[in-house]
Amino acid sequence: MDLSHTSVLLCPPIDISHGSAGGGVIFDSSSLRQQTTIPKAFIWPSSDRPAATEELDAPVVDLGGFFHGDEESTLRAAKLVANACERHGFFQVVNHGVSELLARDALDCTDEFFRLPLCDKLRARRKPGGVWGYSGAHADRFSSKLPWKETLSFGYREAAGSERVVIDYFVSVLGEEFERMGLAYQMYCEAMKGLSSAIMELLAISLGVDRMTYREFFDDSRSIMRCNYYPPCQEPELTLGTGPHCDPTALTILQQDHVGGLEVFSGRAWRCVRPVHNALVVNIGDTFMALSNGRYKSCLHRAVVNRQRERRSLAFFVCPREDKVIRPPPPSPEDVGSGPRLYPDFTWAQFMEFTQRHYRADMRTLRSFTKWLQSSSSSPATAT
């Protein structure tokens, strides 16, 4: 059944393989935009959507000196990163080594995917309880405060035999004709992995621990790549493209287009993030906040939409291997881990299970997870 020209706003999802209805709803942005008002499920409480009136004060960190082994430039960059991460967990990077052509190709592939007919996008539909796949407004998981966006998520890892992990995903769910798209994203993920390792080293320097601490910890990371598409909206003041939340992952590297819409909460107010040409956004997530014992803040952010222009972004979420135990480096007078432990030991598998099955990520995710973990017997160790 071709759903690309459906005339309903929200319809029961159709299992393409079996031709039967399942749980949740389908988000068809092309149909929704033809209506004068947005459905109630997309309206967010006014407390979640106060307007941002000022621009965020966040550094644009030049990584050129770091990559060329200039110690003075590296220490200067580390100081900027430390200041930003202690305040709000957000900064941008330039001279990051990621090819502009490669980044543009990945964004072009995002356009190509989201312009497919709905029935074709649904071939990659996210399975219940899963992380990978296509989702319209996350309506497969939630029924209220739905975000005005579509997403495509898939995994990436570096390991023997996984050289084609992204390519194989696209071919397996969408067909052989999407091999080129898979290759573009495979190359982009490889570049993001390399950049994330460099940023982890810079974060270690900024925290005063051995510079290889986090690079080595995330060497065998399991990353998540997410392509975001935010359609124009007829009532943007009532909804959000992404609700207020902190990323549960360790680190997010975001490529955004020139439209803008990303906002960060800092100084008790929402503040706009101005897109910088060829810069990549970096924000700290809950897992790294735990690794730094709370010294670096997990960035509270959201995305807004507008009436006229669509917006696209590519988010690369850096996650540890599922069984790695999250704990700060051993404490010392200078080290990040000094002082009482704020969070118990946990694994990324536990944290992911919590966010996928028990809790919708928001600004209190890590705090809520800590309480949930301490009330259960599943923690691998106890905080000291």
Side-chain angles (χ1 to χ4, degrees), residues 342-354:
L342 300 181
Y343 310 103
D345 290 355
F346 62 90
T347 64
W348 171 241
Q350 290 174 308
F351 202 10
M352 178 175 277
E353 177 193 357
F354 179 72

Side-chain angles (χ1 to χ4, degrees), residues 100-164:
E100 188 172 0
L101 181 62
L102 182 64
R104 191 185 315 123
D105 193 26
L107 275 179
D108 288 345
C109 287
T110 299
D111 283 340
E112 183 180 342
F113 176 80
F114 288 112
R115 286 173 182 165
L116 290 172
L118 181 58
C119 59
D120 289 337
K121 289 184 284 190
L122 287 174
R123 286 157 58 191
R125 188 176 182 182
R126 184 171 62 193
K127 291 179 172 58
V131 177
W132 321 138
Y134 167 78
S135 175
H138 296 328
D140 55 326
R141 293 189 61 198
F142 310 113
S143 58
S144 63
K145 296 200 297 186
L146 298 182
W148 193 268
K149 70 174 178 179
E150 300 175 59
T151 64
L152 176 66
S153 305
F154 48 91
Y156 174 77
R157 67 185 186 278
E158 279 188 349
S162 64
E163 294 82 2
R164 286 176 49 94

Side-chain angles (χ1 to χ4, degrees), residues 89-382:
F90 182 98
F91 56 97
Q92 300 194 57
V93 293
V94 293
N95 291 323
H96 41 65
V98 178
S99 161
E100 188 172 0
L101 181 62
L102 182 64
R104 191 185 315 123
D105 193 26
L107 275 179
D108 288 345
C109 287
T110 299
D111 283 340
E112 183 180 342
F113 176 80
F114 288 112
R115 286 173 182 165
L116 290 172
L118 181 58
C119 59
D120 289 337
K121 289 184 284 190
L122 287 174
R123 286 157 58 191
R125 188 176 182 182
R126 184 171 62 193
K127 291 179 172 58
V131 177
W132 321 138
Y134 167 78
S135 175
H138 296 328
D140 55 326
R141 293 189 61 198
F142 310 113
S143 58
S144 63
K145 296 200 297 186
L146 298 182
W148 193 268
K149 70 174 178 179
E150 300 175 59
T151 64
L152 176 66
S153 305
F154 48 91
Y156 174 77
R157 67 185 186 278
E158 279 188 349
S162 64
E163 294 82 2
R164 286 176 49 94
V165 61
V166 179
I167 301 171
D168 291 344
Y169 171 79
F170 275 82
V171 170
S172 66
V173 300
L174 291 170
E176 293 288 342
E177 63 271 29
F178 287 87
E179 182 173 5
R180 193 205 67 80
M181 183 181 291
L183 176 60
Y185 284 129
Q186 176 84 34
M187 294 172 64
Y188 184 80
C189 286
E190 290 169 359
M192 288 295 105
K193 167 61 177 176
L195 175 58
S196 71
S197 296
I199 293 173
M200 287 297 180
E201 185 174 338
L202 189 62
L203 287 169
I205 295 169
S206 73
L207 283 164
V209 300
D210 184 278
R211 66 189 298 156
M212 300 303 289
T213 297
Y214 300 124
R215 179 188 276 268
E216 292 175 351
F217 185 84
F218 287 95
D219 182 58
D220 53 1
S221 61
R222 303 291 193 266
S223 302
I224 302 169
M225 178 74 191
R226 176 168 295 164
C227 309
N228 299 303
Y229 171 67
Y230 302 90
C233 178
Q234 60 271 43
E235 293 183 300
E237 70 281 358
L238 297 181
T239 191
L240 290 169
T242 301
H245 72 288
C246 297
D247 294 334
T249 50
L251 193 73
T252 304
I253 305 176
L254 181 82
Q255 179 191 172
Q256 55 177 341
D257 61 18
H258 62 280
V259 174
L262 179 62
E263 297 181 350
V264 170
F265 193 80
S266 178
R268 300 186 178 183
W270 286 103
R271 303 181 187 276
C272 307
V273 174
R274 179 176 56 86
V276 176
H277 178 67
N278 204 30
L280 293 169
V281 163
V282 180
N283 68 260
I284 300 297
D286 288 340
T287 297
F288 197 89
M289 182 162 72
L291 279 172
S292 72
N293 199 32
R295 179 173 164 186
Y296 281 4
K297 292 184 178 179
S298 186
C299 178
L300 176 55
H301 58 287
R302 68 181 186 183
V304 298
V305 292
N306 64 80
R307 293 180 189 275
Q308 289 83 27
R309 309 177 75 181
E310 63 184 9
R311 176 175 176 259
R312 307 151 303 155
S313 67
L314 302 176
F316 187 80
F317 300 102
V318 182
C319 319
R321 198 181 67 214
E322 290 85 349
D323 60 348
K324 283 280 186 77
V325 177
I326 311 302
R327 68 166 65 97
S332 73
E334 296 82 18
D335 278 353
V336 56
S338 59
R341 285 283 302 279
L342 300 181
Y343 310 103
D345 290 355
F346 62 90
T347 64
W348 171 241
Q350 290 174 308
F351 202 10
M352 178 175 277
E353 177 193 357
F354 179 72
T355 59
Q356 292 299 307
R357 299 185 180 182
H358 306 291
Y359 195 85
R360 182 175 184 175
D362 60 14
M363 65 287 290
R364 296 177 294 272
T365 305
L366 184 57
R367 190 187 323 157
S368 300
F369 170 68
T370 298
K371 292 179 180 178
W372 176 79
L373 197 62
Q374 290 175 330
S375 67
S376 71
S377 58
S378 57
S379 176
T382 304

